[in-house]
Each structure stands twice: as C-alpha cells, then as structure tokens.
Amino acid sequence: AQTVTQSQPEMSVQEAETVTLSCTYDTSESDYYLFWYKQPPSRQMILVIRQEAYKQQNATENRFSVNFQKAAKSFSLKISDSQLGDAAMYFCASAISGTYKYIFGTGTRLKVLA
Amino acid sequence: DAGVTQSPTHLIKTRGQQVTLRCSPKSGHDTVSWYQQALGQGPQFIFQYYEEEERQRGNFPDRFSGHQFPNYSSELNVNALLLGDSALYLCASSPGQGLGGGEKLFFGSGTQLSVL
C-alpha cells in the first residue's frame, strides 16, 4: 500500500529563519513522484515543489528545497528565509508513475512569527 | 487566464439529500480529478475523469459519481448524503492527456459541504 506520513502537526519559525518539514512515505514501486503542496487559508492547494524519484538530485525552487533520501523513504522540505506569506498548511504527496491517484499526508501547519 | 474554478463555494444539505458540485478546469487542461478533504486531514482521491470517462477511482462508495463534459468541465454528484460526507471537496485539473503520475495538479478553492 502507498502511504505518506507527516509526523509534525505544527511547526513555528521566525521570519527570515530556516525551517524543515518532515515527510516519510512507503511504496513498493520504483517509479514515482513526490510533491509538496501549500494550502493557505484561501483553501487553494498550490504546488511548491516536485521530485522525480529516479533523479538523485534534490529539487529546488527559489527558497524551497527538498532533501530526498530514497533508501530511507524520506522527503523533507526546507524553507529558507521564511516569510509571513509562507504561513499555511503544507502537504506532502506521492503519485506512482502511470496512475492518477495522489496520496496526501495529514499536513503540517506552519506558523511564521514576526 | 482563469485557473480552476469551483461552484458553489459553500453548501448546506441535510442527510439523505443529493448534491452536485461543479468544476471548470484551467484553460488548456483536459483532465479533472476530485478530492475530499475532511477537517484536519489531507485530501483523499475520489476519481479522475479524462475524455468524458472515469479513468481511476479511489475508495469511495457508488454514492459518489461524476461526469465530464465535452468542454472538459466536470460535476461531482453525491447521493443519499451522510453526516460523514461533510468536507471540503477539491477539484484539480492537469494538462497533457493525463499521462499519469507526476503531472502537476492545479487545484480550485473547493466547495465546503456541510451535511446536517
């Protein structure tokens, strides 16, 4: 079975500091994709970053980067220079290649302190 | 360029009633997926539509059904509503014939359904 686990219900970070959100997943497939989505109070899920499992290089998008540890099935998100607008729920998700079902974790609420 | 739009934004129904939620995908997208997000949980996959057919379905009962129209817009229908159906229903669209796994999903702001 495909599962995604986020063990941190809530995290806080000071503005301009760095924070890391954790995610572990489980799958028996070798070809899959991993994502981080952000859900602000507007409720609209926004893609933050995407990682292809066959690529060893960690994905980066401006202030957002991931630490992808395939053997450990770990996929953490690092947010650098945190901004007030980063405050939101963050969801980790996985999708197996060739299928259309995305599995989401339960989310981590990120608070950014001014 | 309009993104994914969903209507209505909020809906209140009573147990046993039927409800229809609507979604218009982002321009250029041909694939629509529906997700249910219960309070405090992550979204759960209901089903995906491509070329007006249900292509994959999650673990939801037959009370949940859908439709996709030739213009790629979609409806989610839920019959015989239960209290447990109260949730945020999210629609997501994606481009490129829905190649499967890995494509970026673009979400709407959802429909908040309350069942009393």
Side-chain angles (χ1 to χ4, degrees):
Chain A
Q2 190 182 356
T3 61
V4 175
T5 302
Q6 294 179 251
S7 58
Q8 304 158 317
E10 189 172 295
M11 293 282 286
S12 295
V13 62
Q14 290 285 344
E15 197 175 4
E17 296 296 309
T18 296
V19 64
T20 298
L21 308 184
S22 301
C23 172
T24 58
Y25 63 93
D26 193 18
T27 179
S28 56
E29 302 291 330
S30 58
D31 192 6
Y32 54 90
Y33 300 81
L34 298 168
F35 308 84
W36 279 97
Y37 276 87
K38 169 185 177 181
Q39 187 177 42
S42 67
R43 309 182 315 197
Q44 184 179 27
M45 303 274 283
I46 301 165
L47 177 66
V48 175
I49 203 162
R50 170 179 174 268
Q51 174 81 42
E52 295 144 319
Y54 63 85
K55 288 188 177 179
Q56 291 189 336
Q57 186 174 7
N58 289 327
T60 62
E61 286 288 343
N62 301 313
R63 298 182 295 108
F64 299 87
S65 62
V66 298
N67 183 5
F68 175 44
Q69 300 290 327
K70 192 170 184 178
K73 295 184 178 176
S74 171
F75 184 63
S76 60
L77 175 69
K78 186 172 82 171
I79 306 174
S80 304
D81 186 25
S82 297
Q83 300 175 359
L84 294 177
D86 294 334
M89 285 292 291
Y90 285 81
F91 291 94
C92 179
S94 70
I96 296 170
S97 181
T99 72
Y100 312 100
K101 175 181 178 180
Y102 286 62
I103 302 295
F104 286 84
T106 53
T108 296
R109 180 174 301 281
L110 178 65
K111 294 184 175 182
V112 181
L113 309 174
Chain B
D1 176 24
V4 179
T5 58
Q6 293 187 243
S7 63
T9 55
H10 296 84
L11 204 51
I12 299 175
K13 292 286 188 179
T14 56
R15 280 179 298 174
Q17 285 189 313
Q18 179 264 344
V19 68
T20 297
L21 311 181
R22 295 176 176 82
C23 172
S24 292
K26 180 178 171 63
S27 177
H29 289 188
D30 58 6
T31 303
V32 173
S33 302
W34 287 92
Y35 285 80
Q36 180 195 65
Q37 186 178 14
L39 189 63
Q41 300 296 315
Q44 285 196 299
F45 177 75
I46 302 175
F47 42 54
Q48 185 184 83
Y49 275 84
Y50 171 64
E51 291 190 339
E52 302 179 48
E53 291 194 358
E54 182 183 293
R55 182 156 61 174
Q56 187 174 1
R57 188 180 185 92
N59 295 326
F60 280 80
D62 292 344
R63 300 187 296 109
F64 290 77
S65 63
H67 189 78
Q68 186 179 34
F69 300 93
N71 66 353
Y72 307 125
S73 67
S74 178
E75 289 182 348
L76 165 64
N77 300 294
V78 187
N79 294 323
L81 284 167
L82 304 174
L83 295 180
D85 295 331
S86 294
L88 178 67
Y89 288 84
L90 295 166
C91 171
S93 71
S94 50
Q97 296 86 49
L99 298 175
E103 59 211 2
K104 300 174 184 178
L105 297 181
F106 291 77
F107 284 84
S109 296
T111 294
Q112 184 65 53
L113 173 65
S114 298
V115 181
L116 305 179

